[in-house]
Amino acid sequence: AFATRQSTMSKPFAFFQQNPSMVSSNRSPTTLYNVYDDWRSDAVVDTMVLDPENIELCLEEFIDSNYGQQMFGKHDRPASVGITGEIYFVEQHAPEVILALSGKFWHRRETVLGRAAMWLNARMPEITDVNVEDPNELLDYEEIIDDMTGEVLYAEDKRAPDFNGDRETMEYQGIDPDVRGPFPPGVLGSGGSMINPV
């Protein structure tokens, strides 16, 4: 019985030895994600000098993280449910960084910018502000206005579709859907449609 249990416990390590691309470089074999995901779990990360190249590098770390793979349309899974959102570096003014958001996000646009800002500030502590060029980029709804009367006809949702109904259900229940994201781990496996808020 002991030998069986021991061999079962070593299977995950054998998998990662056979699939080294699943392990981030310069980390231990038990690290499964990139530097952003590691930071989210222990809040410790190496810092770097604030410059445009490092800003772009850090944005790539954020976008390619396990968390980013639920948020950005660059990845197959979010793209398959209508998530097309992207984040770009625009410019740097001394300690201020300007980013741009485009496309449709499942998360609130403020959340996307906020997560990016926290990550950039953790990596480059001299950053004082992370903003967007146009404040309208942070609006999840665009008001469609009648040209003749100036009245708001309707509000167009700029968010990605609520493909499984979870976002609306969590909002109805008073739960922030951005905390969990569009693909919950849980009983139905990663990405199931069962409400699993945390």
Side-chain angles (χ1 to χ4, degrees):
F2 178 73
T4 304
R5 199 159 95 213
Q6 190 176 26
S7 66
T8 303
M9 289 174 65
S10 66
K11 283 182 183 178
F13 296 107
F15 171 79
F16 292 113
Q17 287 175 341
Q18 294 170 358
N19 299 285
S21 65
M22 295 294 291
V23 179
S24 66
S25 61
N26 75 2
R27 299 282 182 188
S28 72
T30 58
T31 303
L32 305 179
Y33 308 115
N34 76 1
V35 67
Y36 175 81
D37 297 307
D38 292 343
W39 171 73
R40 284 194 67 196
S41 68
D42 63 18
V44 177
V45 68
D46 294 333
T47 58
M48 51 181 47
V49 174
L50 174 60
D51 65 33
E53 292 79 24
N54 285 339
I55 293 169
E56 291 198 21
L57 171 73
C58 290
L59 278 178
E60 282 302 313
E61 290 171 343
F62 175 59
I63 292 166
D64 291 334
S65 69
N66 185 48
Y67 185 78
Q69 290 178 26
Q70 295 188 36
M71 186 179 278
F72 298 103
K74 166 185 177 180
H75 304 288
D76 293 339
R77 189 171 187 199
S80 72
V81 295
I83 297 171
T84 61
E86 297 179 297
I87 190 167
Y88 302 98
F89 169 62
V90 176
E91 59 189 343
Q92 172 200 345
H93 298 292
E96 182 181 13
V97 174
I98 306 296
L99 303 177
L101 300 175
S102 66
K104 293 181 176 272
F105 292 95
W106 190 90
H107 297 76
R108 286 187 314 269
R109 298 168 87 79
E110 288 180 348
T111 299
V112 175
L113 180 66
R115 297 287 172 117
M118 286 190 305
W119 174 241
L120 291 173
N121 189 250
R123 293 289 265 157
M124 294 166 278
E126 61 266 38
I127 294 175
T128 58
D129 291 306
V130 177
N131 292 308
V132 289
E133 215 167 23
D134 179 4
N136 289 329
E137 289 180 42
L138 295 179
L139 300 176
D140 291 318
Y141 295 92
E142 179 180 356
E143 292 183 342
I144 306 302
I145 299 173
D146 186 317
D147 291 337
M148 301 294 283
T149 64
E151 291 182 27
V152 175
L153 298 175
Y154 61 94
E156 184 177 307
D157 196 347
K158 292 177 12 181
R159 299 176 302 173
D162 187 9
F163 65 97
N164 60 5
D166 284 3
R167 182 174 59 210
E168 183 179 358
T169 301
M170 285 186 283
E171 288 171 348
Y172 175 77
Q173 294 174 340
I175 299 168
D176 181 2
D178 289 356
V179 172
R180 196 223 46 210
F183 307 110
V187 179
L188 300 176
S190 184
S193 62
M194 178 177 279
I195 297 293
N196 183 10
V198 255

